[in-house]
Amino acid sequence: MSKHYVVIAEVRSEQLRQVSLEAIEAARLSAHEGDTISALLLGHNLSEQVSQLSRYVSGQVHVLDHPDLEHYLAERYCSAIIPVLESLEPYAIVLGHTAMGRDLAPMLAAHFQAGQISDVTAIHRNGSELLFTRPVYAGKAFEQKRFIDGRHIITVRPNNIPPAAEAGSPGEIVQHAYTAPVNLRTIIKDVITKASGRVDLAEAQIVVSGGRGVKSAEGFKPLEQLAEVLGGAVGASRGACDAGYCDYALQIGQTGKVVTPQIYIACGISGAIQHLAGMSQSRIIIAINKDPEAPIFKIADYGIVGDLFEVVPLLTEEFRKALA
Ligand SMILES: Cc1cc2nc3c(=O)[nH]c(=O)nc-3n(C[C@H](O)[C@H](O)[C@H](O)COP(=O)(O)OP(=O)(O)OC[C@H]3O[C@@H](n4cnc5c(N)ncnc54)[C@H](O)[C@@H]3O)c2cc1C
């Protein structure tokens, strides 16, 4: 019997998030021929994102478009999504392992009595069995899990599964009515965006990160310039955040964000295990540190022993010329 996969897509800063396309690919990797993949998108003023999304799904694109849904609020989103999902009867629900996905998935799992596998980085088929790989012990090991029975919910880690290619023909768009939930316990008064760069750190392909070696908030400027030339995002160690050089929103690591870019440039970061937990899965790691014994060099693919205030501007200049 054919199965129905529903991907809950996400919009951020008016853009369809790349991880939503990766979630569609995760559904494709899991599905068999004849299975249907649909998407569900919530928010406000979504026409552009909906038509973009429809190019990637073979099934329908279900839309809940209402001013109340402009910002994620667990109770609102959950109560809006549940009736739609109940009518679609999905076999599996797939979300990005984002702040929203991490919050929403367990609530849906509880409501639907579904099994959940979170933070999936790869999907393999072993005969008829689907195996989901996910990191454990702060990324020091990986485990493979499988579902035994019932409805499935998975969240996929950004930048690990390739984004879906466009489907042959655009999916049909189905608008759904939104009914505000009664007895809301929380409302959003205002959303204050802080320390946000042009590129979303969690999805950035290049991250230039600074540690305590950057020495001051001013010291982050050369890193920002390098990130700008490379079209990347700026990150930081907790050492730099604790010292007040940058906002905690930039913190990468065990208690910060997990990033998996193509290139991670660590500037003046020692390489403590808690920092590695957030970036060790980056494809190429470049470390700049004046201490040749710094532990970061043990996991770096390329290491530059030197003063970051000399090395970073030189790199920026060379990349600017090369990319001009
Ligand atoms: C429970 C717990 C959770 C934690 N979670 C996190 C987390 O999520 N993320 C995180 O990052 N840390 C985390 N930490 C903190 C972690 O243990 C380290 O203290 C922190 O990562 C150190 O930051 P740092 O490498 O920037 O600073 P330092 O260890 O002080 O290293 C600075 C480095 O800069 C180099 N340097 C100095 N000047 C220059 C220069 N001019 N040019 C080049 N190099 C220079 C030095 O040689 C040194 O290697 C956590 C700790 C605990 C206990």
Side-chain angles (χ1 to χ4, degrees):
M1 205 176 106
S2 72
K3 293 175 175 135
H4 191 183
Y5 288 76
V6 177
V7 174
I8 299 180
E10 218 179 305
V11 166
R12 179 153 170 188
S13 306
E14 296 172 17
Q15 303 288 322
L16 187 65
R17 293 191 75 158
Q18 150 131 337
V19 69
S20 299
L21 303 184
E22 294 164 5
I24 295 170
E25 184 62 14
R28 275 192 196 159
L29 291 170
S30 310
H32 284 96
E33 214 181 314
D35 291 348
T36 314
I37 299 171
S38 301
L40 170 56
L41 187 65
L42 294 84
H44 185 44
N45 286 334
L46 293 173
S47 53
E48 237 172 71
Q49 297 88 342
V50 168
S51 74
Q52 189 192 350
L53 188 57
S54 71
R55 299 204 303 271
Y56 293 89
V57 286
S58 49
Q60 295 170 318
V61 177
H62 298 271
V63 185
L64 278 151
D65 193 328
H66 191 276
D68 278 3
L69 300 172
E70 185 170 359
H71 300 296
Y72 175 72
L73 181 64
E75 285 173 284
R76 269 209 178 113
Y77 268 49
C78 218
S79 74
I81 284 173
I82 284 169
V84 179
L85 289 178
E86 278 172 347
S87 69
L88 298 176
E89 295 187 345
Y91 164 76
I93 302 165
V94 189
L95 304 97
H97 194 70
T98 57
M100 180 184 110
R102 278 185 283 178
D103 198 41
L104 200 51
M107 287 188 273
L108 297 177
H111 179 85
F112 288 110
Q113 295 285 292
Q116 182 181 331
I117 301 180
S118 302
D119 205 9
V120 169
T121 55
I123 301 171
H124 299 286
R125 197 176 285 285
N126 184 9
S128 60
E129 209 171 54
L130 268 183
L131 296 172
F132 297 88
T133 306
R134 64 183 301 276
V136 284
Y137 304 123
K140 286 211 263 326
F142 288 85
E143 64 178 7
Q144 283 194 322
K145 286 192 160 187
R146 67 184 173 88
F147 290 105
I148 301 169
D149 205 1
R151 186 165 277 155
H152 303 176
I153 297 190
I154 71 165
T155 65
V156 297
R157 183 181 277 209
N159 280 342
N160 278 264
I161 293 169
E166 292 194 18
S169 50
E172 181 200 350
I173 295 165
V174 184
Q175 299 282 349
H176 291 264
Y178 163 75
T179 314
V182 280
N183 301 329
L184 267 184
R185 281 168 295 184
T186 334
I187 55 160
I188 296 176
K189 292 280 285 180
D190 198 3
V191 175
I192 300 152
T193 312
K194 211 175 162 192
S196 71
R198 272 185 318 109
V199 184
D200 184 345
L201 189 53
E203 291 182 7
Q205 296 297 313
I206 299 178
V207 174
V208 182
S209 226
R212 212 156 15 208
V214 167
K215 294 195 175 66
S216 65
E218 190 67 17
F220 263 90
K221 291 257 160 65
L223 278 60
E224 283 159 15
Q225 282 159 5
L226 178 57
E228 195 182 330
V229 166
L230 295 174
V234 174
S237 72
R238 178 156 145 189
C241 300
D242 282 347
Y245 305 160
C246 60
D247 195 274
Y248 280 101
L250 302 189
Q251 185 184 319
I252 290 167
Q254 189 181 319
T255 44
K257 292 198 167 83
V258 174
V259 296
T260 39
Q262 294 293 314
I263 303 175
Y264 187 86
I265 308 176
C267 312
I269 294 178
S270 59
I273 190 85
Q274 296 89 353
H275 186 75
L276 303 191
M279 48 62 79
S280 60
Q281 279 183 66
S282 306
R283 181 115 189 267
I284 296 170
I285 298 169
I286 302 169
I288 304 166
N289 198 302
K290 64 180 186 185
D291 175 7
E293 303 296 325
I296 190 82
F297 287 128
K298 291 201 182 105
I299 64 146
D301 299 285
Y302 300 94
I304 303 173
V305 179
D307 187 327
L308 72 93
F309 295 106
E310 290 168 19
V311 176
V312 172
L314 279 175
L315 284 179
T316 307
E317 210 33 57
E318 289 305 313
F319 281 123
R320 190 174 277 134
K321 277 190 233 154
L323 296 169

